[in-house]
């Protein structure tokens, strides 16, 4: 087992998994606590439209995906604030439009090859040094952003009306949150891919919500769960030649299923004793 750590691509994968876990642990917790998982899924799937645009016009993939995802995030943030009753329809529309646009533009791109499938399903074992630099920079920014704005984020997540009465511009923070989710998705898509990223955002946060009782602890626990399952997924991918991103999601799903069962029986046992 120790021998696999001698390979550079394994080292890069582990480092990438660590910082991806921090990113997804934080923005996933924010998405779950603010009931924005479905919106996050819409942003995640629309990112492929940015991948297609970047490929077709010959610009860096990361730049195209970032600009398009931020654009979609701003639209959804506006709808969340001013037309919430139609939000689900718009999310579904952006979801489908982004995927369809990406597929068409990728197919129209001269020299099209299957490497673009890595953006859909992830390729954590092919993470490069430049990918790691982006992950480190964004993870550090996220940690600092949450640290300096923790009280506001906590208030918006659980009592936005009270925060608004305090004179804080909750709309600006809502838009900022959507943009952070979009950026986090773009950075993390190299690890598990656009299609599977929603699992990395939602499942660890759901599990940490069961295990903890504060937003900060949720972020930490969610990151820890993500990293543990990503290490497991990397190991499975290396030894059994399975797809790494799918392996990570399977482990996350099994963990959440077992945890939910334990929590259900434990809660019922306490209720029975109390009665």
């Amino acid at each position: 087992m120790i021998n696999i750590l001698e390979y550079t691509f394994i080292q890069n994968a582990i480092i990438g998994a660590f910082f991806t876990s921090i990113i997804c642990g934080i923005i996933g917790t924010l998405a779950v606590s603010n009931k924005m998982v479905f919106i996050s899924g819409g942003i995640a799937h629309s990112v492929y439209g940015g991948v297609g645009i970047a490929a077709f016009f010959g610009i860096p993939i990361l730049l195209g995906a970032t600009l398009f995802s931020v654009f979609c995030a701003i639209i959804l943030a506006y709808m969340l604030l001013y037309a919430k009753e139609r939000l689900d329809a718009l999310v579904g529309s952006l979801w489908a439009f982004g995927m369809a646009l990406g597929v068409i533009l990728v197919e129209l791109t001269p020299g099209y090859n299957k490497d673009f499938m890595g953006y859909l399903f992830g390729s954590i074992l092919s993470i490069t040094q430049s990918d790691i630099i982006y992950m480190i920079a964004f993870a550090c920014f996220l940690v600092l952003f949450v640290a300096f704005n923790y009280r506001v984020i906590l208030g918006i997540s659980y009592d936005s009306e009270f925060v608004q009465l305090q004179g804080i511009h909750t709309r600006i923070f809502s838009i900022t949150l959507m943009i952070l989710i979009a950026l986090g998705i773009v950075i993390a898509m190299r690890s598990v891919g656009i299609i599977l990223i929603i699992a990395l955002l939602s499942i660890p946060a759901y599990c940490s919500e069961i295990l903890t009782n504060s937003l900060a602890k949720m972020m930490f626990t969610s990151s820890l769960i993500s990293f543990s399952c990503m290490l497991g997924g990397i190991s499975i991918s290396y030894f059994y030649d399975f797809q790494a991103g799918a392996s990570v999601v399977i482990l996350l799903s099994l963990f959440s299923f077992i945890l939910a069962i334990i929590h259900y029986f434990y809660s019922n046992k306490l209720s029975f004793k109390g009665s």
Side-chain angles (χ1 to χ4, degrees), residues 23-258:
I23 293 170
C24 291
I26 293 175
I27 64 174
T29 297
L30 295 177
V32 169
S33 60
N34 285 276
K35 297 178 175 59
M36 295 170 60
V37 173
F38 183 60
I39 296 175
S40 301
I43 296 174
H45 287 77
S46 67
V47 167
Y48 198 60
V51 173
I53 291 171
F56 185 78
F57 290 102
I59 62 176
I61 297 294
L62 187 64
L63 177 61
T66 299
L67 293 176
F68 190 75
S69 64
V70 169
F71 171 73
C72 293
I74 292 173
I75 291 177
L76 289 175
Y78 178 85
M79 293 297 292
L80 180 64
L81 293 172
Y82 299 105
K84 196 171 184 177
E85 67 279 359
R86 293 291 180 268
L87 184 62
D88 57 341
L90 182 62
V91 171
S93 299
L94 274 178
W95 185 314
F97 172 74
M99 292 294 292
L101 179 66
V103 169
I104 290 173
L105 291 180
V106 166
E107 288 184 350
L108 291 175
T109 301
Y112 161 76
N113 56 66
K114 293 184 178 180
D115 289 343
F116 286 102
M117 296 301 289
Y119 292 103
L120 287 175
F121 298 101
S123 183
I124 193 170
L125 294 179
S126 63
I127 285 178
T128 64
Q129 291 288 341
S130 59
D131 294 326
I132 292 174
I133 291 173
Y134 289 129
M135 290 176 183
I136 293 174
F138 188 67
C140 291
F141 170 77
L142 265 183
V143 171
L144 291 174
F145 177 82
V146 171
F148 282 109
N149 299 282
Y150 182 73
R151 289 185 178 275
V152 178
I153 293 172
L154 186 65
I156 291 175
S157 299
Y158 296 106
D159 195 349
S160 59
E161 293 183 0
F162 175 77
V163 173
Q164 196 167 5
L165 290 174
Q166 301 302 308
I168 297 174
H169 297 289
T170 57
R171 294 178 180 179
I172 295 176
F173 263 87
S174 296
I175 295 172
T176 302
L177 176 58
M178 297 286 276
I179 293 175
L180 289 177
I181 290 173
L183 294 175
I185 288 169
V186 172
I187 296 295
M189 71 179 177
R190 287 286 287 168
S191 299
V192 294
I194 294 169
I195 291 178
L196 303 179
I197 187 65
I198 192 63
L200 204 59
L201 293 177
S202 59
I203 296 176
Y206 160 74
C207 294
S208 62
E209 193 173 34
I210 294 175
L211 297 171
T212 62
N213 56 5
S214 76
L215 196 66
K217 291 179 180 178
M218 274 184 66
M219 292 178 182
F220 176 80
T221 306
S222 179
S223 298
L224 185 62
I225 293 170
S226 295
F227 184 56
S228 300
C229 290
M230 290 186 80
L231 287 181
I234 291 171
S235 301
I236 291 172
S237 177
Y238 179 83
F239 288 110
Y240 299 101
D241 198 27
F242 291 159
Q243 212 281 335
S247 300
V248 172
V249 175
I250 290 295
L251 289 178
L252 283 171
S253 300
L254 288 174
F255 178 79
S256 64
F257 181 69
I258 294 170

